[in-house]
Amino acid sequence: MNDLVIIVQILVVIFLCVNMLLIVTFFSKEVFYTTMRYILFAVTLLSDSLMLFVSDILLILSSYRVTMQFGLCIIFYILSVICIFVTPVTLTAMALERYVAICMPLRHAQLCSTRSTMHCILIIHSLSSVPCIVILSVFCASASRSLYTQYKICSMEIFVSLRWQNNIKTAIYQLYFLIMSITIILSYVKIMKVAKAASGENKKSTRKGLRTVILHAFQVFLCLIQLWCPFIEVALFQIDLMLYVNVRYFNYITFILAPRCLSPLIYGLRDEKFLLALKHKVPFGFHCVKIKARTGFVCQVGCRDRLP
């Protein structure tokens, strides 16, 4: 188990460093923190970084059987659940932003202004807080007062100890999954219709928007897979303890750590403006060479020379 914990710590440090690099890049240019899709991208980065940090602390404490006061465990639970939902809800909002940009271009500047973005972020965090409020309210209604002063090993499972509590949690998760899936699918269908009717530069821009929505759908899918991991782990716990431990570490690395870093990194590298800003932040640097191709640039590891 110690080896697994060490492996996880190495991965967490690497992923946090990558996310911090992307966050620093976001604040490096005004165009990033005044444009809706970049601001929402930064929200996912901050949420993912906080999620990595909090979940890693809980993993270390539970691995070494360290107890904490139950009241403190509730705080960790609130942060974890909100961060779990902030990222997929934000990605859904980013898909809607692409829909507005392509299907309603004349209203994009009005609907996706910086002011509107701040309102959108408030709505995102409000929606992400609902599952946490419901689950905690249900738990507190059946918990004794003495429980809050007890010391326990903090884990997400202790808040859904009863079967009916777990059923409520499952229903909420499935409802969110359904709403986000339908929203992204409808956005994709609407953009596809516009893509078929577009021509020239508009067609190229629309197809790029389609690929972005598909990427958001993939990112949301990776984020939502982790919502199903506890149900698999509970079933395995009753079969074999060591299998349960190994699968739990595998799920944590594959469905929590990796998506929270790799998906934002892929999204950042796909965006030409963000990539050009990122190349000045990477220690080993990039140099970009113009070529006669549809992409316009090919970026390769090398010196840090600026483009002519």
Side-chain angles (χ1 to χ4, degrees):
M1 185 175 292
N2 288 337
D3 292 339
L4 290 173
V5 173
I6 293 172
I7 292 171
V8 168
Q9 298 318 300
I10 294 172
L11 291 173
V12 167
V13 170
I14 293 173
F15 291 162
L16 282 176
C17 288
V18 171
N19 281 7
M20 289 302 107
L21 175 62
L22 294 173
I23 291 171
V24 170
T25 303
F26 165 77
F27 285 106
S28 66
K29 289 187 178 294
E30 185 179 357
V31 67
F32 296 147
Y33 52 83
T34 56
T35 305
M36 185 176 195
R37 64 192 178 101
Y38 292 119
I39 296 173
L40 293 179
F41 175 52
V43 170
T44 65
L45 288 174
L46 292 169
S47 172
D48 290 342
S49 299
L50 181 59
M51 175 63 186
L52 288 175
F53 181 72
V54 172
S55 63
D56 187 48
I57 290 176
L58 292 178
L59 179 73
I60 294 172
L61 294 178
S62 62
S63 297
Y64 293 100
R65 315 298 293 175
V66 178
T67 60
M68 68 171 67
Q69 193 171 16
F70 195 77
L72 181 59
C73 184
I74 291 176
I75 296 174
F76 276 104
Y77 181 79
I78 291 172
L79 290 174
S80 298
V81 174
I82 291 177
C83 288
I84 284 173
F85 281 94
V86 163
T87 295
V89 173
T90 304
L91 290 170
T92 305
M94 291 171 75
L96 287 174
E97 186 273 335
R98 286 295 85 197
Y99 161 75
V100 172
I102 294 169
C103 300
M104 306 166 64
L106 298 180
R107 299 193 62 191
H108 182 259
Q110 176 190 354
L111 295 175
C112 300
S113 63
T114 304
R115 182 182 179 85
S116 299
T117 305
M118 296 302 108
H119 294 158
C120 181
I121 292 173
L122 181 61
I123 293 171
I124 286 170
H125 284 80
S126 298
L127 290 174
S128 302
S129 302
V130 171
C132 180
I133 294 171
V134 172
I135 294 170
L136 277 180
S137 298
V138 169
F139 172 80
C140 293
S142 59
S144 61
R145 291 186 178 181
S146 60
L147 178 65
Y148 302 104
T149 57
Q150 295 177 12
Y151 283 78
K152 291 183 174 291
I153 297 173
C154 187
S155 68
M156 302 298 100
E157 289 77 15
I158 61 178
F159 293 94
V160 286
S161 56
L162 301 176
R163 186 177 182 83
W164 63 273
Q165 293 174 334
N166 192 54
N167 291 339
I168 292 175
K169 175 184 175 182
T170 303
I172 294 172
Y173 282 12
Q174 290 178 344
L175 177 63
Y176 269 69
F177 177 82
L178 182 64
I179 293 173
M180 287 185 281
S181 299
I182 291 174
T183 303
I184 291 177
I185 290 170
L186 289 178
S187 299
Y188 180 82
V189 170
K190 293 288 186 180
I191 294 173
M192 185 180 291
K193 289 181 179 179
V194 174
K196 289 181 178 179
S199 60
E201 286 298 319
N202 288 336
K203 193 175 187 70
K204 181 181 177 181
S205 174
T206 304
R207 291 198 177 279
K208 184 177 180 182
L210 273 175
R211 291 194 296 270
T212 302
V213 172
I214 292 173
L215 175 60
H216 290 328
F218 177 69
Q219 289 175 293
V220 169
F221 175 72
L222 288 177
C223 290
L224 293 178
I225 282 178
Q226 69 175 285
L227 302 182
W228 294 95
C229 290
F231 306 117
I232 299 172
E233 292 166 4
V234 168
L236 292 175
F237 180 75
Q238 300 175 7
I239 299 173
D240 186 281
L241 181 59
M242 283 308 299
L243 179 62
Y244 162 78
V245 172
N246 292 330
V247 169
R248 190 170 187 181
Y249 273 100
F250 173 80
N251 288 342
Y252 181 74
I253 294 171
T254 307
F255 301 123
I256 296 180
L257 290 189
R260 301 282 169 172
C261 174
L262 297 180
S263 292
L265 181 60
I266 293 170
Y267 182 83
L269 294 177
R270 282 187 71 255
D271 189 278
E272 186 176 297
K273 289 182 182 178
F274 203 87
L275 178 60
L276 291 175
L278 181 63
K279 76 184 181 70
H280 296 292
K281 301 296 179 182
V282 178
F284 49 77
F286 290 90
H287 73 276
C288 296
V289 182
K290 282 187 177 181
I291 62 170
K292 295 179 180 179
R294 188 172 63 177
T295 54
F297 295 95
V298 169
C299 291
Q300 302 170 324
V301 176
C303 63
R304 299 178 64 90
D305 296 338
R306 291 182 179 272
L307 289 171

